[in-house]
PDB file of all heavy atoms in Angstrom:
ATOM      1  N   GLN Y 130     102.408 104.222 119.408  1.00 98.00           N
ATOM      2  CA  GLN Y 130     102.862 105.563 119.785  1.00 98.00           C
ATOM      3  C   GLN Y 130     101.668 106.351 120.291  1.00 98.00           C
ATOM      4  O   GLN Y 130     100.762 106.756 119.570  1.00 98.00           O
ATOM      5  CB  GLN Y 130     103.461 106.260 118.545  1.00 98.00           C
ATOM      6  CG  GLN Y 130     104.649 105.516 117.930  1.00 98.00           C
ATOM      7  CD  GLN Y 130     104.884 105.871 116.468  1.00 98.00           C
ATOM      8  OE1 GLN Y 130     103.957 105.755 115.635  1.00 98.00           O
ATOM      9  NE2 GLN Y 130     106.097 106.275 116.126  1.00 98.00           N
ATOM     10  N   VAL Y 131     101.660 106.561 121.599  1.00 98.00           N
ATOM     11  CA  VAL Y 131     100.540 107.244 122.298  1.00 98.00           C
ATOM     12  C   VAL Y 131     100.978 108.669 122.650  1.00 98.00           C
ATOM     13  O   VAL Y 131     102.113 108.828 123.154  1.00 98.00           O
ATOM     14  CB  VAL Y 131     100.116 106.502 123.572  1.00 98.00           C
ATOM     15  CG1 VAL Y 131      98.906 107.143 124.177  1.00 98.00           C
ATOM     16  CG2 VAL Y 131      99.874 105.005 123.282  1.00 98.00           C
ATOM     17  N   LEU Y 132     100.138 109.650 122.377  1.00 98.00           N
ATOM     18  CA  LEU Y 132     100.542 111.027 122.548  1.00 98.00           C
ATOM     19  C   LEU Y 132      99.381 111.751 123.280  1.00 98.00           C
ATOM     20  O   LEU Y 132      98.234 111.608 122.929  1.00 98.00           O
ATOM     21  CB  LEU Y 132     100.797 111.675 121.214  1.00 98.00           C
ATOM     22  CG  LEU Y 132     101.370 113.119 121.144  1.00 98.00           C
ATOM     23  CD1 LEU Y 132     102.683 113.216 121.908  1.00 98.00           C
ATOM     24  CD2 LEU Y 132     101.502 113.568 119.732  1.00 98.00           C
ATOM     25  N   THR Y 133      99.737 112.566 124.315  1.00 98.00           N
ATOM     26  CA  THR Y 133      98.708 113.247 125.056  1.00 98.00           C
ATOM     27  C   THR Y 133      99.168 114.680 125.397  1.00 98.00           C
ATOM     28  O   THR Y 133     100.368 114.954 125.544  1.00 98.00           O
ATOM     29  CB  THR Y 133      98.310 112.489 126.329  1.00 98.00           C
ATOM     30  OG1 THR Y 133      97.209 113.199 126.980  1.00 98.00           O
ATOM     31  CG2 THR Y 133      99.485 112.422 127.312  1.00 98.00           C
ATOM     32  N   LYS Y 134      98.206 115.531 125.611  1.00 98.00           N
ATOM     33  CA  LYS Y 134      98.435 116.842 126.266  1.00 98.00           C
ATOM     34  C   LYS Y 134      97.993 116.792 127.748  1.00 98.00           C
ATOM     35  O   LYS Y 134      98.243 117.752 128.475  1.00 98.00           O
ATOM     36  CB  LYS Y 134      97.675 117.980 125.540  1.00 98.00           C
ATOM     37  CG  LYS Y 134      98.251 118.342 124.186  1.00 98.00           C
ATOM     38  CD  LYS Y 134      97.525 119.558 123.578  1.00 98.00           C
ATOM     39  CE  LYS Y 134      98.117 120.073 122.279  1.00 98.00           C
ATOM     40  NZ  LYS Y 134      97.900 119.101 121.172  1.00 98.00           N
ATOM     41  N   ARG Y 135      97.304 115.709 128.105  1.00 98.00           N
ATOM     42  CA  ARG Y 135      96.836 115.590 129.527  1.00 98.00           C
ATOM     43  C   ARG Y 135      97.883 114.858 130.343  1.00 98.00           C
ATOM     44  O   ARG Y 135      97.640 113.750 130.864  1.00 98.00           O
ATOM     45  CB  ARG Y 135      95.520 114.839 129.530  1.00 98.00           C
ATOM     46  CG  ARG Y 135      94.269 115.715 129.337  1.00 98.00           C
ATOM     47  CD  ARG Y 135      94.036 116.091 127.923  1.00 98.00           C
ATOM     48  NE  ARG Y 135      92.829 116.911 127.782  1.00 98.00           N
ATOM     49  CZ  ARG Y 135      92.453 117.375 126.586  1.00 98.00           C
ATOM     50  NH1 ARG Y 135      93.147 117.170 125.518  1.00 98.00           N
ATOM     51  NH2 ARG Y 135      91.337 118.105 126.541  1.00 98.00           N
ATOM     52  N   ALA Y 136      99.012 115.492 130.510  1.00 98.00           N
ATOM     53  CA  ALA Y 136     100.165 114.837 131.173  1.00 98.00           C
ATOM     54  C   ALA Y 136      99.832 114.532 132.636  1.00 98.00           C
ATOM     55  O   ALA Y 136     100.368 113.565 133.206  1.00 98.00           O
ATOM     56  CB  ALA Y 136     101.396 115.684 131.028  1.00 98.00           C
ATOM     57  N   GLU Y 137      99.102 115.367 133.295  1.00 98.00           N
ATOM     58  CA  GLU Y 137      98.796 115.173 134.721  1.00 98.00           C
ATOM     59  C   GLU Y 137      97.968 113.879 134.914  1.00 98.00           C
ATOM     60  O   GLU Y 137      98.226 113.072 135.774  1.00 98.00           O
ATOM     61  CB  GLU Y 137      98.069 116.331 135.325  1.00 98.00           C
ATOM     62  CG  GLU Y 137      98.942 117.630 135.440  1.00 98.00           C
ATOM     63  CD  GLU Y 137      98.259 118.729 136.160  1.00 98.00           C
ATOM     64  OE1 GLU Y 137      97.207 118.463 136.841  1.00 98.00           O
ATOM     65  OE2 GLU Y 137      98.735 119.878 136.069  1.00 98.00           O
ATOM     66  N   ARG Y 138      96.926 113.683 134.071  1.00 98.00           N
ATOM     67  CA  ARG Y 138      96.153 112.459 134.188  1.00 98.00           C
ATOM     68  C   ARG Y 138      97.023 111.261 133.797  1.00 98.00           C
ATOM     69  O   ARG Y 138      96.879 110.200 134.396  1.00 98.00           O
ATOM     70  CB  ARG Y 138      94.917 112.528 133.330  1.00 98.00           C
ATOM     71  CG  ARG Y 138      93.979 111.383 133.614  1.00 98.00           C
ATOM     72  CD  ARG Y 138      92.683 111.386 132.823  1.00 98.00           C
ATOM     73  NE  ARG Y 138      91.796 110.349 133.320  1.00 98.00           N
ATOM     74  CZ  ARG Y 138      90.887 109.742 132.579  1.00 98.00           C
ATOM     75  NH1 ARG Y 138      90.690 110.086 131.300  1.00 98.00           N
ATOM     76  NH2 ARG Y 138      90.154 108.745 133.092  1.00 98.00           N
ATOM     77  N   LEU Y 139      97.829 111.396 132.771  1.00 98.00           N
ATOM     78  CA  LEU Y 139      98.728 110.314 132.398  1.00 98.00           C
ATOM     79  C   LEU Y 139      99.552 109.862 133.599  1.00 98.00           C
ATOM     80  O   LEU Y 139      99.652 108.667 133.938  1.00 98.00           O
ATOM     81  CB  LEU Y 139      99.651 110.772 131.259  1.00 98.00           C
ATOM     82  CG  LEU Y 139     100.905 109.922 131.000  1.00 98.00           C
ATOM     83  CD1 LEU Y 139     100.522 108.548 130.527  1.00 98.00           C
ATOM     84  CD2 LEU Y 139     101.837 110.656 130.031  1.00 98.00           C
ATOM     85  N   SER Y 140     100.177 110.828 134.276  1.00 98.00           N
ATOM     86  CA  SER Y 140     101.004 110.535 135.440  1.00 98.00           C
ATOM     87  C   SER Y 140     100.225 109.852 136.553  1.00 98.00           C
ATOM     88  O   SER Y 140     100.693 108.917 137.196  1.00 98.00           O
ATOM     89  CB  SER Y 140     101.681 111.786 135.933  1.00 98.00           C
ATOM     90  OG  SER Y 140     102.519 111.527 137.054  1.00 98.00           O
ATOM     91  N   ALA Y 141      99.007 110.333 136.773  1.00 98.00           N
ATOM     92  CA  ALA Y 141      98.169 109.785 137.856  1.00 98.00           C
ATOM     93  C   ALA Y 141      97.771 108.326 137.603  1.00 98.00           C
ATOM     94  O   ALA Y 141      97.646 107.535 138.504  1.00 98.00           O
ATOM     95  CB  ALA Y 141      96.938 110.637 138.045  1.00 98.00           C
ATOM     96  N   LEU Y 142      97.535 108.016 136.295  1.00 98.00           N
ATOM     97  CA  LEU Y 142      97.069 106.666 135.930  1.00 98.00           C
ATOM     98  C   LEU Y 142      98.221 105.694 135.650  1.00 98.00           C
ATOM     99  O   LEU Y 142      98.012 104.465 135.655  1.00 98.00           O
ATOM    100  CB  LEU Y 142      96.177 106.724 134.725  1.00 98.00           C
ATOM    101  CG  LEU Y 142      94.806 107.438 134.880  1.00 98.00           C
ATOM    102  CD1 LEU Y 142      94.025 107.378 133.614  1.00 98.00           C
ATOM    103  CD2 LEU Y 142      94.014 106.821 136.017  1.00 98.00           C
ATOM    104  N   ALA Y 143      99.435 106.217 135.429  1.00 98.00           N
ATOM    105  CA  ALA Y 143     100.524 105.359 134.946  1.00 98.00           C
ATOM    106  C   ALA Y 143     100.756 104.153 135.807  1.00 98.00           C
ATOM    107  O   ALA Y 143     101.062 103.067 135.320  1.00 98.00           O
ATOM    108  CB  ALA Y 143     101.779 106.199 134.743  1.00 98.00           C
ATOM    109  N   GLN Y 144     100.741 104.338 137.107  1.00 95.00           N
ATOM    110  CA  GLN Y 144     101.057 103.260 138.022  1.00 95.00           C
ATOM    111  C   GLN Y 144      99.993 102.161 138.039  1.00 95.00           C
ATOM    112  O   GLN Y 144     100.248 101.012 138.467  1.00 95.00           O
ATOM    113  CB  GLN Y 144     101.189 103.776 139.446  1.00 95.00           C
ATOM    114  CG  GLN Y 144      99.906 104.417 140.025  1.00 95.00           C
ATOM    115  CD  GLN Y 144     100.101 104.977 141.432  1.00 95.00           C
ATOM    116  OE1 GLN Y 144     100.765 104.358 142.241  1.00 95.00           O
ATOM    117  NE2 GLN Y 144      99.523 106.133 141.672  1.00 95.00           N
TER     118      GLN Y 144
END
Side-chain angles (χ1 to χ4, degrees):
Q130 301 157 306
V131 185
L132 187 60
T133 185
K134 288 186 175 71
R135 273 78 178 177
E137 291 187 15
R138 190 179 187 208
L139 164 65
S140 180
L142 294 181
Q144 63 182 319

